[in-house]
Amino acid sequence: MTHRPLIAVPARFSATTSALRYAAEVNARALIEAVWRAGGEPVGIHPAESDVAARLVRFDGVLLPGGGDLAPHRYGAATTHDSVYDVDELQDTFDLRVARHTLGAGLPLLAVCRGLQVVNVALGGSLEQDMGGPEHEHRHLVHPVRIRSGTLLEEATGAGKADASCYHHQRVDRPGEGLTVTATAADGTVEGLELPGAQGWFTAVQWHPEDTAHEDPAQQGLFDALVSAARTRR
């Protein structure tokens, strides 16, 4: 029997979950199912003050999922916008360490929404704390994004343009060191990032491909590419 590549998915803290009665650690079911459909074994990992390198050594790939906002001080901001929400210092510390180690070790990495922002900050980039209120943010929105040719993102989706399901009120301000923009929205929002010359397969998207991956092959292609890269590395 062929073993599924192990894909580490850092858990997200949740204040309430009705089925479990108390605070929990979660990830979106659609995200986990997209990894499973791709042939991977998704494994939630507990955010903790710990040796990230030692914990990730058993994994074949990493998926940094969406979630709440990063603390603005993480990218040098002196003040915090009123719209910033669900900041958790332990979550930030853990995710940033995972991003830096994964890229440094050459582990295949797919970063989604908050995950893209984590990678950007981990490499010294900054974020726009709020895109300008409800009339400008990308929440509950499906819109076209243009994908740059010759990128891993284009290869994974098989498209030069994709319909992206978005839920975010922040976006990349200054890209981190070495990162290049691979996709943009009509309003100029950075929708994709990659790191040319990275040791391992890596792409990041600002949208949520898991929302429509069950019916859109371009979106499922991102998870397929992650698992394929993890299988090759294994």
Side-chain angles (χ1 to χ4, degrees):
M1 184 178 76
T2 302
H3 292 289
R4 290 171 172 260
L6 295 178
I7 307 298
V9 189
R12 296 286 171 251
F13 296 131
S14 177
T16 58
T17 48
S18 59
L20 301 179
R21 299 180 296 136
Y22 302 111
E25 293 183 7
V26 300
N27 264 305
R29 180 172 176 178
L31 189 82
I32 299 304
E33 288 179 340
V35 174
W36 181 262
R37 272 196 307 273
E41 184 71 67
V43 182
I45 55 174
H46 171 60
E49 286 284 351
S50 57
D51 184 344
V52 166
R55 294 181 64 192
L56 290 180
V57 72
R58 75 187 70 182
F59 290 98
D60 306 303
V62 176
L63 197 166
L64 270 173
D69 293 338
L70 281 156
H73 73 81
R74 299 284 182 171
Y75 44 94
T79 59
T80 299
H81 194 278
D82 290 343
S83 66
V84 171
Y85 73 103
D86 280 359
V87 170
D88 188 287
E89 293 291 346
L90 176 56
Q91 187 94 72
D92 287 356
T93 297
F94 186 72
D95 282 7
L96 288 164
R97 287 177 180 173
V98 168
R100 292 185 184 112
H101 172 75
T102 302
L103 289 171
L107 269 172
L109 171 64
L110 172 61
V112 168
C113 200
R114 169 190 162 94
L116 174 146
Q117 295 175 2
V118 166
V119 170
N120 191 55
V121 171
L123 294 180
S126 63
L127 304 176
E128 185 178 337
Q129 291 189 43
D130 189 77
M131 292 168 62
E135 68 275 17
H136 297 294
E137 65 190 18
H138 291 182
R139 277 184 165 136
H140 302 296
L141 178 68
V142 177
H143 65 184
V145 297
R146 186 167 298 280
I147 298 171
R148 210 175 96 199
S149 64
T151 59
L152 292 174
L153 180 57
E154 182 194 44
E155 183 181 341
T157 59
K161 188 168 73 172
D163 290 325
S165 176
C166 297
Y167 189 87
H168 63 95
H169 75 107
Q170 299 187 330
R171 60 183 172 185
V172 169
D173 177 19
R174 183 184 69 255
E177 185 176 354
L179 290 169
T180 61
V181 175
T182 59
T184 53
D187 64 2
T189 296
V190 172
E191 294 280 0
L193 291 173
E194 285 177 15
L195 186 64
Q199 292 187 55
W201 185 92
F202 160 67
T203 196
V205 294
Q206 182 59 74
W207 70 88
H208 285 272
E210 71 274 16
D211 288 358
T212 54
H214 65 287
E215 60 185 6
D216 184 347
Q219 305 301 329
Q220 180 61 38
L222 284 162
F223 301 97
D224 295 347
L226 169 65
V227 172
S228 176
R231 184 177 289 112
T232 297
R233 187 179 192 278
R234 185 174 187 177

